[in-house]
Tab-separated table of all heavy atoms in Angstrom:
chain	number	residue	atom	x	y	z
A	1	TRP	N	0.893	-1.205	-0.027
A	1	TRP	CA	-0.032	-0.018	0.035
A	1	TRP	C	0.869	1.237	-0.043
A	1	TRP	O	0.644	2.150	-0.770
A	1	TRP	CB	-0.934	0.013	1.215
A	1	TRP	CG	-2.149	-0.922	0.971
A	1	TRP	CD1	-2.354	-2.143	1.495
A	1	TRP	CD2	-3.335	-0.544	0.273
A	1	TRP	NE1	-3.520	-2.626	1.048
A	1	TRP	CE2	-4.185	-1.694	0.318
A	1	TRP	CE3	-3.708	0.556	-0.506
A	1	TRP	CZ2	-5.335	-1.783	-0.379
A	1	TRP	CZ3	-4.914	0.446	-1.124
A	1	TRP	CH2	-5.777	-0.523	-1.084
A	2	PHE	N	1.878	1.232	0.930
A	2	PHE	CA	2.840	2.294	0.911
A	2	PHE	C	4.287	1.611	0.936
A	2	PHE	O	4.487	0.589	1.653
A	2	PHE	CB	2.705	3.211	2.089
A	2	PHE	CG	1.470	4.041	2.090
A	2	PHE	CD1	0.354	3.665	2.821
A	2	PHE	CD2	1.341	5.091	1.204
A	2	PHE	CE1	-0.823	4.379	2.738
A	2	PHE	CE2	0.162	5.874	1.209
A	2	PHE	CZ	-0.947	5.462	1.958
A	3	ALA	N	5.244	2.178	0.201
A	3	ALA	CA	6.499	1.519	0.064
A	3	ALA	C	7.224	1.394	1.422
A	3	ALA	O	7.915	0.441	1.679
A	3	ALA	CB	7.412	2.293	-0.893
A	4	VAL	N	6.958	2.304	2.354
A	4	VAL	CA	7.587	2.148	3.706
A	4	VAL	C	7.241	0.889	4.379
A	4	VAL	O	7.975	0.494	5.236
A	4	VAL	CB	7.198	3.476	4.611
A	4	VAL	CG1	7.889	4.656	4.090
A	4	VAL	CG2	5.743	3.524	4.745
A	5	ASP	N	6.091	0.330	4.015
A	5	ASP	CA	5.605	-0.945	4.700
A	5	ASP	C	6.669	-2.033	4.459
A	5	ASP	O	6.782	-2.905	5.322
A	5	ASP	CB	4.289	-1.300	4.189
A	5	ASP	CG	3.074	-0.373	4.417
A	5	ASP	OD1	3.364	0.451	5.341
A	5	ASP	OD2	2.116	-0.369	3.757
A	6	ARG	N	7.340	-1.963	3.314
A	6	ARG	CA	8.339	-3.074	3.041
A	6	ARG	C	9.422	-3.094	4.080
A	6	ARG	O	9.959	-4.159	4.310
A	6	ARG	CB	8.804	-2.858	1.599
A	6	ARG	CG	9.854	-3.917	1.177
A	6	ARG	CD	10.348	-3.610	-0.252
A	6	ARG	NE	11.380	-4.594	-0.580
A	6	ARG	CZ	11.183	-5.774	-1.150
A	6	ARG	NH1	9.912	-6.149	-1.402
A	6	ARG	NH2	12.246	-6.556	-1.494
A	7	TRP	N	9.791	-1.935	4.600
A	7	TRP	CA	10.856	-1.846	5.564
A	7	TRP	C	10.373	-1.660	7.069
A	7	TRP	O	11.237	-1.535	7.916
A	7	TRP	CB	11.850	-0.763	5.173
A	7	TRP	CG	12.497	-1.154	3.919
A	7	TRP	CD1	13.671	-1.984	3.792
A	7	TRP	CD2	12.188	-0.707	2.639
A	7	TRP	NE1	14.065	-2.044	2.460
A	7	TRP	CE2	13.137	-1.323	1.668
A	7	TRP	CE3	11.195	0.069	2.070
A	7	TRP	CZ2	13.064	-1.149	0.342
A	7	TRP	CZ3	11.096	0.268	0.679
A	7	TRP	CH2	12.095	-0.377	-0.158
A	8	GLY	N	9.072	-1.630	7.243
A	8	GLY	CA	8.512	-1.465	8.605
A	8	GLY	C	8.938	-0.132	9.242
A	8	GLY	O	9.121	-0.104	10.442
A	9	VAL	N	9.010	0.920	8.437
A	9	VAL	CA	9.315	2.226	8.982
A	9	VAL	C	8.093	3.176	8.939
A	9	VAL	O	7.389	3.167	7.919
A	9	VAL	CB	10.484	2.903	8.189
A	9	VAL	CG1	10.748	4.351	8.594
A	9	VAL	CG2	11.818	1.980	8.311
A	10	THR	N	7.945	3.883	10.043
A	10	THR	CA	6.798	4.835	10.143
A	10	THR	C	7.303	6.184	10.086
A	10	THR	O	7.980	6.704	11.013
A	10	THR	CB	5.983	4.692	11.373
A	10	THR	OG1	5.570	3.346	11.424
A	10	THR	CG2	4.793	5.575	11.406
A	11	PRO	N	7.111	6.993	8.951
A	11	PRO	CA	7.483	8.399	8.910
A	11	PRO	C	6.519	9.261	9.627
A	11	PRO	O	5.401	8.803	10.173
A	11	PRO	CB	7.394	8.708	7.345
A	11	PRO	CG	6.347	7.736	6.833
A	11	PRO	CD	6.465	6.513	7.736
A	12	ASP	N	6.792	10.532	9.739
A	12	ASP	CA	5.851	11.499	10.427
A	12	ASP	C	4.761	11.961	9.508
A	12	ASP	O	3.681	12.282	9.918
A	12	ASP	CB	6.650	12.618	11.064
A	12	ASP	CG	7.675	12.198	12.001
A	12	ASP	OD1	7.279	11.630	13.099
A	12	ASP	OD2	8.870	12.304	11.723
A	13	LEU	N	5.154	12.111	8.259
A	13	LEU	CA	4.220	12.508	7.188
A	13	LEU	C	4.500	11.648	5.943
A	13	LEU	O	5.555	11.380	5.617
A	13	LEU	CB	4.468	14.003	6.851
A	13	LEU	CG	4.266	15.016	7.953
A	13	LEU	CD1	4.831	16.445	7.490
A	13	LEU	CD2	2.803	15.154	8.390
A	14	ILE	N	3.353	11.309	5.277
A	14	ILE	CA	3.458	10.638	3.947
A	14	ILE	C	2.695	11.521	2.958
A	14	ILE	O	1.608	11.915	3.195
A	14	ILE	CB	2.776	9.232	3.936
A	14	ILE	CG1	3.636	8.293	4.986
A	14	ILE	CG2	2.804	8.671	2.575
A	14	ILE	CD1	3.036	6.874	5.049
A	15	THR	N	3.350	11.847	1.891
A	15	THR	CA	2.648	12.530	0.826
A	15	THR	C	2.278	11.511	-0.285
A	15	THR	O	3.007	10.524	-0.489
A	15	THR	CB	3.540	13.702	0.164
A	15	THR	OG1	4.727	13.147	-0.318
A	15	THR	CG2	3.884	14.673	1.298
A	16	PHE	N	1.088	11.804	-0.890
A	16	PHE	CA	0.571	10.820	-1.862
A	16	PHE	C	-0.100	11.617	-2.958
A	16	PHE	O	-0.492	12.797	-2.806
A	16	PHE	CB	-0.339	9.786	-1.269
A	16	PHE	CG	-1.700	10.432	-0.723
A	16	PHE	CD1	-2.704	10.517	-1.588
A	16	PHE	CD2	-1.724	10.831	0.585
A	16	PHE	CE1	-3.913	11.084	-1.045
A	16	PHE	CE2	-2.887	11.457	1.064
A	16	PHE	CZ	-4.053	11.567	0.246
A	17	ALA	N	-0.388	10.969	-4.029
A	17	ALA	CA	-1.159	11.444	-5.262
A	17	ALA	C	-1.258	10.260	-6.183
A	17	ALA	O	-1.540	9.124	-5.764
A	17	ALA	CB	-0.564	12.654	-5.844
A	18	LYS	N	-1.082	10.580	-7.501
A	18	LYS	CA	-1.060	9.503	-8.536
A	18	LYS	C	-1.940	8.241	-8.330
A	18	LYS	O	-3.080	8.240	-8.649
A	18	LYS	CB	0.460	9.218	-8.833
A	18	LYS	CG	1.282	10.306	-9.367
A	18	LYS	CD	2.702	9.866	-9.696
A	18	LYS	CE	3.599	10.987	-10.186
A	18	LYS	NZ	3.245	11.399	-11.597
A	19	GLY	N	-1.324	7.207	-7.695
A	19	GLY	CA	-1.956	5.958	-7.603
A	19	GLY	C	-3.246	5.906	-6.705
A	19	GLY	O	-3.964	4.972	-6.748
A	20	VAL	N	-3.380	6.948	-5.857
A	20	VAL	CA	-4.581	7.003	-4.909
A	20	VAL	C	-5.862	6.814	-5.748
A	20	VAL	O	-6.810	6.185	-5.258
A	20	VAL	CB	-4.624	8.188	-4.019
A	20	VAL	CG1	-4.835	9.464	-4.895
A	20	VAL	CG2	-5.592	8.031	-2.952
A	21	ASN	N	-5.923	7.402	-6.948
A	21	ASN	CA	-7.161	7.158	-7.845
A	21	ASN	C	-6.793	7.094	-9.330
A	21	ASN	O	-7.562	7.389	-10.141
A	21	ASN	CB	-8.109	8.335	-7.598
A	21	ASN	CG	-7.676	9.666	-7.937
A	21	ASN	OD1	-6.424	9.866	-8.177
A	21	ASN	ND2	-8.526	10.638	-8.068
A	22	SER	N	-5.492	6.868	-9.482
A	22	SER	CA	-4.947	6.735	-10.820
A	22	SER	C	-5.183	7.931	-11.774
A	22	SER	O	-5.216	7.767	-12.966
A	22	SER	CB	-5.492	5.484	-11.500
A	22	SER	OG	-5.080	4.323	-10.845
A	23	GLY	N	-5.289	9.092	-11.136
A	23	GLY	CA	-5.341	10.348	-11.943
A	23	GLY	C	-6.695	10.507	-12.555
A	23	GLY	O	-6.751	11.406	-13.487
A	24	TYR	N	-7.707	9.710	-12.213
A	24	TYR	CA	-8.969	9.833	-12.951
A	24	TYR	C	-9.597	11.311	-12.703
A	24	TYR	O	-10.246	11.787	-13.545
A	24	TYR	CB	-9.955	8.846	-12.522
A	24	TYR	CG	-9.818	7.482	-13.171
A	24	TYR	CD1	-8.509	6.894	-13.341
A	24	TYR	CD2	-10.828	6.740	-13.529
A	24	TYR	CE1	-8.441	5.686	-13.963
A	24	TYR	CE2	-10.802	5.473	-14.107
A	24	TYR	CZ	-9.564	4.952	-14.312
A	24	TYR	OH	-9.418	3.660	-14.954
A	25	VAL	N	-9.253	11.798	-11.486
A	25	VAL	CA	-9.617	13.209	-11.105
A	25	VAL	C	-8.334	13.719	-10.324
A	25	VAL	O	-7.870	12.907	-9.404
A	25	VAL	CB	-10.883	13.322	-10.266
A	25	VAL	CG1	-11.206	14.773	-9.980
A	25	VAL	CG2	-12.107	12.698	-11.021
A	26	PRO	N	-7.865	14.902	-10.506
A	26	PRO	CA	-6.694	15.336	-9.766
A	26	PRO	C	-6.880	15.288	-8.237
A	26	PRO	O	-7.953	15.748	-7.673
A	26	PRO	CB	-6.497	16.790	-10.172
A	26	PRO	CG	-7.214	16.864	-11.522
A	26	PRO	CD	-8.364	15.925	-11.510
A	27	LEU	N	-5.962	14.556	-7.534
A	27	LEU	CA	-6.046	14.390	-6.135
A	27	LEU	C	-4.643	14.014	-5.541
A	27	LEU	O	-3.952	13.273	-6.133
A	27	LEU	CB	-6.992	13.224	-5.773
A	27	LEU	CG	-7.238	12.946	-4.286
A	27	LEU	CD1	-7.943	14.188	-3.589
A	27	LEU	CD2	-8.065	11.699	-4.007
A	28	GLY	N	-4.362	14.656	-4.369
A	28	GLY	CA	-3.177	14.250	-3.640
A	28	GLY	C	-3.448	14.528	-2.184
A	28	GLY	O	-4.571	14.896	-1.794
A	29	GLY	N	-2.348	14.427	-1.399
A	29	GLY	CA	-2.632	14.704	0.044
A	29	GLY	C	-1.406	14.358	0.904
A	29	GLY	O	-0.335	13.917	0.520
A	30	VAL	N	-1.558	14.742	2.195
A	30	VAL	CA	-0.575	14.490	3.203
A	30	VAL	C	-1.299	13.695	4.314
A	30	VAL	O	-2.367	13.977	4.835
A	30	VAL	CB	-0.033	15.765	3.857
A	30	VAL	CG1	1.122	15.422	4.815
A	30	VAL	CG2	0.462	16.738	2.834
A	31	ILE	N	-0.664	12.549	4.664
A	31	ILE	CA	-1.134	11.732	5.836
A	31	ILE	C	-0.248	12.172	7.052
A	31	ILE	O	0.930	12.062	6.942
A	31	ILE	CB	-1.016	10.281	5.521
A	31	ILE	CG1	-1.519	9.874	4.127
A	31	ILE	CG2	-1.925	9.475	6.551
A	31	ILE	CD1	-1.351	8.429	3.802
A	32	ILE	N	-0.974	12.518	8.071
A	32	ILE	CA	-0.302	13.253	9.228
A	32	ILE	C	-0.377	12.413	10.457
A	32	ILE	O	-1.374	11.850	10.853
A	32	ILE	CB	-1.044	14.529	9.385
A	32	ILE	CG1	-1.185	15.363	8.131
A	32	ILE	CG2	-0.356	15.353	10.466
A	32	ILE	CD1	-2.220	16.415	8.165
A	33	SER	N	0.805	12.317	11.187
A	33	SER	CA	0.856	11.597	12.412
A	33	SER	C	0.065	12.482	13.479
A	33	SER	O	-0.079	13.657	13.384
A	33	SER	CB	2.335	11.403	12.885
A	33	SER	OG	2.914	12.724	13.261
A	34	GLU	N	-0.398	11.753	14.533
A	34	GLU	CA	-1.020	12.393	15.648
A	34	GLU	C	-0.148	13.528	16.342
A	34	GLU	O	-0.693	14.598	16.636
A	34	GLU	CB	-1.585	11.444	16.668
A	34	GLU	CG	-2.704	10.616	16.208
A	34	GLU	CD	-3.990	11.450	15.885
A	34	GLU	OE1	-4.159	12.524	16.498
A	34	GLU	OE2	-4.687	11.105	14.992
A	35	ARG	N	1.121	13.246	16.320
A	35	ARG	CA	2.024	14.207	17.032
A	35	ARG	C	2.013	15.504	16.303
A	35	ARG	O	2.030	16.608	16.850
A	35	ARG	CB	3.437	13.656	17.113
A	35	ARG	CG	4.484	14.464	17.727
A	35	ARG	CD	5.784	13.704	18.031
A	35	ARG	NE	6.377	13.242	16.794
A	35	ARG	CZ	7.277	13.965	16.198
A	35	ARG	NH1	7.701	15.225	16.651
A	35	ARG	NH2	7.823	13.605	15.021
A	36	ILE	N	2.120	15.440	14.988
A	36	ILE	CA	2.104	16.714	14.172
A	36	ILE	C	0.812	17.318	14.111
A	36	ILE	O	0.561	18.561	14.173
A	36	ILE	CB	2.711	16.415	12.802
A	36	ILE	CG1	4.189	16.015	12.963
A	36	ILE	CG2	2.581	17.628	11.972
A	36	ILE	CD1	4.930	15.759	11.685
A	37	ALA	N	-0.285	16.533	13.982
A	37	ALA	CA	-1.676	17.059	13.984
A	37	ALA	C	-1.957	17.720	15.244
A	37	ALA	O	-2.629	18.798	15.242
A	37	ALA	CB	-2.643	15.921	13.801
A	38	ALA	N	-1.377	17.296	16.369
A	38	ALA	CA	-1.589	17.964	17.603
A	38	ALA	C	-1.087	19.377	17.734
A	38	ALA	O	-1.596	20.263	18.503
A	38	ALA	CB	-1.000	17.155	18.758
A	39	SER	N	-0.104	19.723	16.821
A	39	SER	CA	0.406	21.076	16.792
A	39	SER	C	-0.664	22.099	16.387
A	39	SER	O	-0.542	23.287	16.652
A	39	SER	CB	1.597	21.173	15.850
A	39	SER	OG	2.677	20.483	16.317
A	40	PHE	N	-1.666	21.613	15.640
A	40	PHE	CA	-2.684	22.499	15.088
A	40	PHE	C	-4.027	22.220	15.807
A	40	PHE	O	-5.100	22.529	15.242
A	40	PHE	CB	-2.800	22.213	13.662
A	40	PHE	CG	-1.414	22.441	12.973
A	40	PHE	CD1	-0.662	21.355	12.529
A	40	PHE	CD2	-0.898	23.683	12.702
A	40	PHE	CE1	0.539	21.545	11.899
A	40	PHE	CE2	0.442	23.938	12.140
A	40	PHE	CZ	1.060	22.783	11.705
A	41	SER	N	-4.024	21.613	16.956
A	41	SER	CA	-5.244	21.400	17.706
A	41	SER	C	-5.925	22.730	18.156
A	41	SER	O	-7.174	22.780	18.031
A	41	SER	CB	-4.938	20.565	18.937
A	41	SER	OG	-4.557	19.193	18.577
A	42	THR	N	-5.097	23.645	18.593
A	42	THR	CA	-5.736	24.931	19.138
A	42	THR	C	-5.274	26.157	18.349
A	42	THR	O	-5.668	27.209	18.665
A	42	THR	CB	-5.340	25.147	20.565
A	42	THR	OG1	-3.928	25.055	20.767
A	42	THR	CG2	-5.977	23.950	21.466
A	43	LYS	N	-4.412	25.951	17.347
A	43	LYS	CA	-4.025	27.098	16.468
A	43	LYS	C	-4.180	26.596	15.061
A	43	LYS	O	-4.041	25.433	14.673
A	43	LYS	CB	-2.541	27.475	16.636
A	43	LYS	CG	-1.516	26.448	16.239
A	43	LYS	CD	-0.084	26.924	16.568
A	43	LYS	CE	0.923	25.890	16.151
A	43	LYS	NZ	2.387	26.332	16.363
A	44	PRO	N	-4.683	27.593	14.178
A	44	PRO	CA	-4.948	27.193	12.797
A	44	PRO	C	-3.691	26.650	12.048
A	44	PRO	O	-2.622	27.258	12.205
A	44	PRO	CB	-5.580	28.463	12.167
A	44	PRO	CG	-5.832	29.326	13.433
A	44	PRO	CD	-4.927	29.006	14.436
A	45	TYR	N	-4.010	25.745	11.161
A	45	TYR	CA	-2.925	25.465	10.192
A	45	TYR	C	-2.980	26.557	9.100
A	45	TYR	O	-4.029	26.815	8.493
A	45	TYR	CB	-3.234	24.030	9.494
A	45	TYR	CG	-2.245	23.815	8.347
A	45	TYR	CD1	-0.909	23.736	8.623
A	45	TYR	CD2	-2.714	23.776	6.992
A	45	TYR	CE1	-0.019	23.556	7.452
A	45	TYR	CE2	-1.842	23.664	5.919
A	45	TYR	CZ	-0.533	23.520	6.214
A	45	TYR	OH	0.376	23.305	5.108
A	46	PRO	N	-1.823	27.125	8.729
A	46	PRO	CA	-1.754	28.256	7.750
A	46	PRO	C	-1.695	27.756	6.379
A	46	PRO	O	-0.708	28.019	5.618
A	46	PRO	CB	-0.572	29.012	8.189
A	46	PRO	CG	0.375	27.919	8.685
A	46	PRO	CD	-0.454	26.905	9.382
A	47	GLY	N	-2.774	27.193	5.900
A	47	GLY	CA	-2.828	26.780	4.455
A	47	GLY	C	-4.118	26.153	4.080
A	47	GLY	O	-4.862	25.571	4.945
């Protein structure tokens, strides 16, 4: 599903696009760890 799975490594952020829907409609994104998401629990993410 994600290449990191092959080596059992967990990053803090994973960026994705392309294969998530094979480009049928433009789409990408960032998958975020709870530790980093917590930085924006009470302050807005600027973007």
Side-chain angles (χ1 to χ4, degrees):
W1 280 100
F2 294 102
V4 290
D5 298 340
R6 181 179 176 87
W7 292 279
V9 172
T10 300
D12 300 294
L13 300 170
I14 293 176
T15 58
F16 66 90
K18 293 186 183 286
V20 66
N21 66 346
S22 294
Y24 280 43
V25 182
L27 182 67
V30 186
I31 317 175
I32 309 164
S33 67
E34 285 299 327
R35 182 170 64 90
I36 293 181
S39 293
F40 307 101
S41 294
T42 57
K43 66 179 180 182
Y45 170 66

